[in-house]
Amino acid sequence: MKTNSLSRERGSILLVALIFSLIIAISLGSFINLGQANMRLSNRAFYANSAVNLAETGLEQAMWSINKAVDSDPAAWTGWTVSGNNAWRNFTGFTFDANSTGNVRVYVQNHTLGVAPVIIARSSITPYRSSAVEKWILVKLSKRSQFANGLVAKNTLTFSGGNAEVDSYDSRLGPYDAPLGGGLTNKYDRGSAGSASITVSSFSLSNSKIYGYAAIGTSDYSGLSVGPNGVVGAFGAAAGSIDYGRITTDFTTNFPDQTTPTTFGYSIGSINSATTLPRFGDLPAADGKFYYNVSGISLSGAPSKKLDISPLTKVVIRITAAPGSSGVSVTGNASINVLATGKLEMYAECDVDIGGRGIANANDPEAFYLRSSKASGSAGTQDIRISGNGQLSAVVYAPNSDVTMNGGGSSGAVYGSVIADNITVTGGSVFHYDEALSAATSGNPFGIASWNELTTASQRSTYSGLVSF
């Protein structure tokens, strides 16, 4: 009897042990499956993030080609398949951890730039022994204007003298302060000035007035120094009033070096007497522009001492004077006249001094582009000065040079937009930002107007035929 009882007890214990072992095995199996599922989810999430990065790599390749095409680079679309207004390319050979591979298909609509391009990128990463992870991104582009602001300094912007002013107008509506009807005039408190420096007081306003907006590179207001009578605000603002709602912090710039075009042109020495360009018999280049290499411009004295740019022509002047030398000088009653419907682009590394009667160009700042070709980090300095009663209606792009506006006299003023490394505004200088330049996108790079990930089958179906090559 005892033997049978002991056997039954042993059997019960064995049965319980087997049940516990089964429970433990099931639990361990569940934990292993859960761990594997979490690992798979983690891997999928990792590859999903990698797929987004891969899609953006394809977008960057397309952006590079588009902006090279803006610069008329013949190699812009090398390696792409091009048909009509569209271009596409499959970038392959990407490898990731655990023997995973990837590729990204990129399709560019309107690659000929007749209208703003649209880019579709479809990236795919195939993990080892798993299905592919895909990300689809749709990007729409728009042209950017380098001259969306009035006075922009990469480094310091300094007002001195106490009575300088900044405001705005729109040359598309006529001359500055012209009557527009209904008691309105072409004059607005939407001028703008800014410094991208992160140094304290890099933007020194003193007692001058900005009727519009100010921007500073610092994360707080320490980048702006204002005198007791300085103004940032709307017309009619009391002396000493600052509207902080019109001040932007963390302002940054991205102004690349300006290269001088290398298109063949005519060499005509220096210009120091009455001259008209293009000259009779000169022929334009293939792009329709007339190119001239000029050793220097020195105009002074009587009003007859002037350089005229003929109507309906586009002229490019490359000043060949050495950096640091005085290559362009306009003084007395002399001037440079860009006649109505004419266009002048001037490239220089030398010093430029515009006084006298300055630049006359029918109230169209876009008719005269003054571009500094001084490279970032190059030796020496370049000074661009607008002084006396000199009128400058222009777009000045000199990101590695210094610009000084010294007094305006009774009639002197600067119209347009100025970009420089350091800007100094002294005396009674008056600056009128031309709001029309915010739409001046010709020759400028494209920027991203919208970025959207296509996540649903419905969204992807619209473009699947384009990125299934």
Side-chain angles (χ1 to χ4, degrees):
M1 296 295 293
K2 290 182 178 180
T3 302
N4 291 337
S5 176
L6 182 61
S7 297
R8 285 195 297 272
E9 289 178 1
R10 288 177 177 175
S12 298
I13 292 171
L14 180 60
L15 180 60
V16 170
L18 288 173
I19 292 172
F20 273 110
S21 297
L22 180 60
I23 292 172
I24 291 172
I26 293 172
S27 298
L28 287 175
S30 298
F31 279 119
I32 291 172
N33 288 334
L34 180 61
Q36 289 177 336
N38 286 335
M39 185 175 67
R40 286 193 296 269
L41 288 173
S42 178
N43 284 340
R44 298 291 289 186
F46 169 78
Y47 288 122
N49 289 333
S50 298
V52 171
N53 293 334
L54 183 55
E56 291 189 334
T57 298
L59 293 173
E60 290 173 0
Q61 291 285 343
M63 289 290 294
W64 184 90
S65 292
I66 288 169
N67 286 321
K68 281 294 183 181
V70 171
D71 292 335
S72 301
D73 188 332
W77 297 102
T78 299
W80 293 72
T81 301
V82 174
S83 178
N85 290 327
N86 306 312
W88 57 93
R89 185 173 181 180
N90 187 9
F91 296 91
T92 61
F94 297 96
T95 58
F96 301 87
D97 292 340
N99 296 321
S100 300
T101 60
N103 70 291
V104 55
R105 300 176 181 89
V106 184
Y107 193 93
V108 180
Q109 295 178 316
N110 308 317
H111 92 288
T112 52
L113 313 182
V115 296
V118 175
I119 308 172
I120 306 98
R122 176 187 179 182
S123 66
S124 178
I125 296 178
T126 305
Y128 182 65
R129 293 183 177 178
S130 183
S131 59
V133 177
E134 290 193 353
K135 290 292 180 179
W136 297 40
I137 295 176
L138 173 68
V139 167
K140 296 180 180 180
L141 305 182
S142 63
K143 268 294 189 71
R144 296 178 294 184
S145 175
Q146 292 177 324
F147 308 101
N149 294 287
L151 294 172
V152 181
K154 288 170 56 178
N155 192 16
T156 62
L157 175 56
T158 305
F159 288 77
S160 63
N163 56 346
E165 292 186 2
V166 175
D167 62 8
S168 71
Y169 78 114
D170 191 331
S171 62
R172 293 168 293 191
L173 303 178
Y176 172 77
D177 206 20
L180 299 177
L184 302 177
T185 64
N186 192 14
K187 175 181 177 180
Y188 310 102
D189 51 8
R190 297 193 292 260
S192 56
S195 164
S197 172
I198 59 173
T199 304
V200 172
S201 299
S202 55
F203 187 156
S204 179
L205 184 58
S206 185
N207 291 311
S208 296
K209 300 173 179 61
I210 296 179
Y211 296 119
Y213 302 87
I216 47 181
T218 52
S219 59
D220 53 23
Y221 297 113
S222 63
L224 179 64
S225 172
V226 183
N229 294 313
V231 171
V232 178
F235 286 142
S241 62
I242 306 296
D243 181 352
Y244 287 95
R246 288 174 173 249
I247 299 176
T248 301
T249 56
D250 293 316
F251 176 60
T252 61
T253 62
N254 181 25
F255 297 125
D257 289 356
Q258 176 66 64
T259 57
T260 301
T262 57
T263 305
F264 175 81
Y266 299 94
S267 295
I268 60 175
S270 62
I271 296 175
N272 49 32
S273 60
T275 303
T276 298
L277 295 178
R279 301 172 303 181
F280 180 77
D282 288 347
L283 299 175
D287 60 4
K289 298 179 181 180
F290 294 83
Y291 289 82
Y292 295 94
N293 299 321
V294 178
S295 58
I297 297 176
S298 180
L299 298 170
S300 63
S304 60
K305 295 293 186 68
K306 61 180 180 176
L307 167 62
D308 285 335
I309 303 301
S310 298
L312 299 174
T313 61
K314 297 179 180 180
V315 173
V316 177
I317 294 178
R318 296 174 288 214
I319 304 296
T320 60
S325 65
S326 179
V328 178
S329 176
V330 180
T331 61
N333 288 312
S335 62
I336 296 176
N337 297 314
V338 184
L339 301 178
T341 67
K343 302 285 185 181
L344 171 61
E345 297 176 53
M346 185 181 295
Y347 296 81
E349 291 186 69
C350 57
D351 290 348
V352 177
D353 191 346
I354 298 176
R357 298 174 65 187
I359 309 292
N361 59 1
N363 187 50
D364 180 11
E366 273 203 276
F368 176 46
Y369 275 80
L370 174 57
R371 299 184 182 273
S372 166
S373 47
K374 183 181 186 301
S376 176
S378 61
T381 60
Q382 180 186 33
D383 294 321
I384 298 173
R385 296 178 292 272
I386 301 101
S387 59
N389 289 323
Q391 298 276 349
L392 178 62
S393 183
V395 176
V396 178
Y397 185 76
N400 305 308
S401 307
D402 297 337
V403 172
T404 301
M405 294 185 290
N406 184 15
S410 60
S411 60
V414 178
Y415 302 81
S417 180
V418 176
I419 293 171
D421 187 19
N422 299 288
I423 299 176
T424 303
V425 184
T426 66
S429 296
V430 180
F431 176 78
H432 309 296
Y433 170 58
D434 183 4
E435 296 181 17
L437 294 173
S438 64
T441 59
S442 178
N444 295 329
F446 280 91
I448 295 176
S450 66
W451 186 104
N452 294 287
E453 182 181 349
L454 306 180
T455 57
T456 68
S458 175
Q459 291 174 326
R460 293 180 176 182
S461 64
T462 304
Y463 303 99
S464 60
L466 302 180
V467 286
S468 296
F469 52 88

